[in-house]
Amino acid sequence: MGLTDVLERKQGVIVGDDVIKTFNYCQEHNFAIPAIGVANDKQQASIAGAVAGAQYIRSVAPSYGIPVILHTDHCAKKLLPWLDGMMDADEAYFKEHGEPLFSSHMIDLSEEEKDWNLATTAKYLKRAAPMKQWLEMEIGITGGEEDGVNNEDVDNNSLYTQPEDIYDIYHTLSAISPYFSIAAGFGNVHGVYKPGNVKLHPELLGKHQKFVKDKINGRNDKPVYLVFHGGSGSSKQEYLDAISYGVVKVNLDTDLQYAYLTGIRDYVLNKKDYIMSQVGNPDGADKPNKKYFDPRVWVREGEKTMSTRVSEGLRDFNTAGQL
């Protein structure tokens, strides 16, 4: 038995109940889904680009024969108009098709005061709830730098979310909808740093789960769907420890960026004498170089190395073979 056996939609973009079934299956079978991102700039263009990208993914995803969670990530306070625009598109799509355009969005107000973070997240979850749309939120600061947010100099204590905060979020949001997850800080850092400089404590996630379970007198040892931000550079054991405490999604960005670079970098270094001009290389002054500088050739090399790194992540997160 695999994941697709519990899903109504076996391939293509999944939403609503299939998303929560997926995350339940992740917790039950101790694996997490790697989140792989793309980026854009300018909010109006980003809204249009995100909507167009979602429609494109919906059109091609069934061809791959796997379920796809179509998710947007890291919407900070200054980017809330971007989220508003995408949710406008979700509601229009829902009116026509009975489901949102996107499976899931992530609202990241972790830099803001906790009460405002929670109140604003709750407002967006109320909007998402009628569509059974998933909403991920973040509490506690993830160190390092990403997308113009620099937390490299924050006090280390602020990198660790408290269990009381997790319960407050769970208590507030679960009254609105079950379709939410929490990215809690347990020493996470965006980017990759020298070994020893980052102190991850995934065991704190287990304490959060127990705290919530005890407060609600629940039977489920993992009542909270947790997310691991800043996953690049972590050890396989750190991944597995976090997943054992209920992490269902791991953000993997920096490692993939670097993996993509290495394929292109190595190609350029190895073929340097064949890409310095359109004609003329070590094989002859009149030899054409089109087959070497054609972007389809060297971009493909980056795709190959990034694909290899994605495969490694699927094994590290215990995701391989789960379908």
Side-chain angles (χ1 to χ4, degrees):
M1 180 176 176
L3 170 62
T4 53
D5 293 313
V6 304
L7 301 181
E8 292 296 321
R9 185 175 296 167
K10 311 297 184 184
Q11 56 192 29
V13 173
I14 61 173
V15 297
D17 290 337
D18 276 345
V19 174
I20 203 167
K21 287 176 183 177
T22 297
F23 290 151
N24 283 335
Y25 194 89
C26 286
Q27 288 187 337
E28 291 167 5
H29 294 82
N30 285 315
F31 72 96
I33 299 170
I36 300 163
V38 296
N40 201 346
D41 196 6
K42 309 296 183 186
Q43 289 195 19
Q44 290 303 318
S46 291
I47 293 168
V51 170
Q55 292 167 337
Y56 169 74
I57 290 169
R58 278 187 168 273
S59 69
V60 302
S63 301
Y64 289 83
I66 60 172
V68 175
I69 296 177
L70 184 52
H71 174 75
T72 68
D73 217 55
H74 280 290
C75 180
K77 181 180 180 180
K78 65 182 179 180
L79 299 177
L80 287 175
W82 174 55
L83 180 57
D84 292 331
M86 290 188 294
M87 294 191 77
D88 288 343
D90 285 318
E91 289 166 341
Y93 194 90
F94 181 82
K95 186 174 181 179
E96 184 175 354
H97 300 280
E99 64 184 48
L101 178 62
F102 294 89
S103 312
S104 172
H105 295 296
M106 188 258 177
I107 182 169
D108 181 2
L109 305 176
S110 56
E111 288 191 305
E112 314 303 325
E113 189 269 331
K114 189 193 98 172
D115 290 342
W116 191 87
N117 179 352
L118 182 52
T120 305
T121 299
K123 181 184 75 172
Y124 279 94
L125 186 60
K126 288 176 182 177
R127 186 176 178 184
M131 299 182 285
K132 290 188 174 181
Q133 187 176 53
W134 198 270
L135 188 67
E136 176 187 328
M137 67 89 67
E138 183 167 354
I139 186 71
I141 295 174
T142 298
E145 189 278 332
E146 184 171 68
D147 297 334
V149 177
N150 194 321
N151 291 323
E152 292 178 308
D153 298 322
V154 299
D155 177 53
N156 281 346
N157 290 330
S158 63
L159 302 179
Y160 302 98
T161 306
Q162 300 304 307
E164 293 83 2
D165 292 337
I166 298 297
Y167 172 71
D168 287 345
I169 295 165
Y170 181 88
H171 177 73
T172 300
L173 299 186
S174 62
I176 300 169
S177 168
Y179 303 103
F180 69 92
S181 51
I182 304 172
F186 56 100
N188 320 48
V189 173
H190 287 132
V192 178
Y193 295 84
K194 184 179 178 180
N197 286 359
V198 178
K199 305 292 185 183
L200 284 179
H201 289 281
E203 70 277 4
L204 294 177
L205 302 179
K207 294 180 180 179
H208 297 338
Q209 297 282 22
K210 185 178 186 306
F211 188 86
V212 173
K213 178 186 176 182
D214 291 345
K215 291 287 285 185
I216 65 174
N217 293 317
R219 295 182 178 180
N220 185 357
D221 289 335
K222 303 173 187 176
V224 184
Y225 300 102
L226 295 170
V227 174
F228 186 160
H229 281 190
S232 291
S234 300
S235 70
K236 181 173 182 178
Q237 191 57 53
E238 286 170 332
Y239 291 138
L240 294 177
D241 287 347
I243 290 167
S244 73
Y245 297 124
V247 163
V248 296
K249 169 179 170 277
V250 181
N251 283 14
L252 194 64
D253 187 37
T254 304
D255 281 356
L256 293 183
Q257 292 174 352
Y258 188 71
Y260 188 79
L261 166 69
T262 59
I264 296 174
R265 178 201 66 195
D266 293 347
Y267 178 84
V268 169
L269 292 175
N270 291 331
K271 301 295 184 182
K272 180 176 72 70
D273 294 333
Y274 293 82
I275 60 174
M276 300 304 291
S277 62
Q278 293 192 56
V279 178
N281 60 50
D283 298 330
D286 61 345
K287 296 294 185 181
N289 293 321
K290 178 174 171 54
K291 66 180 180 180
Y292 299 107
F293 64 73
D294 186 334
R296 291 169 294 184
V297 176
W298 50 265
V299 167
R300 180 58 180 155
E301 295 305 310
E303 293 172 343
K304 289 177 182 177
T305 48
M306 187 165 69
S307 177
T308 298
R309 183 61 185 87
V310 170
S311 296
E312 180 184 342
L314 291 171
R315 294 191 297 272
D316 287 347
F317 306 160
N318 200 30
T319 318
Q322 296 287 354
L323 288 180

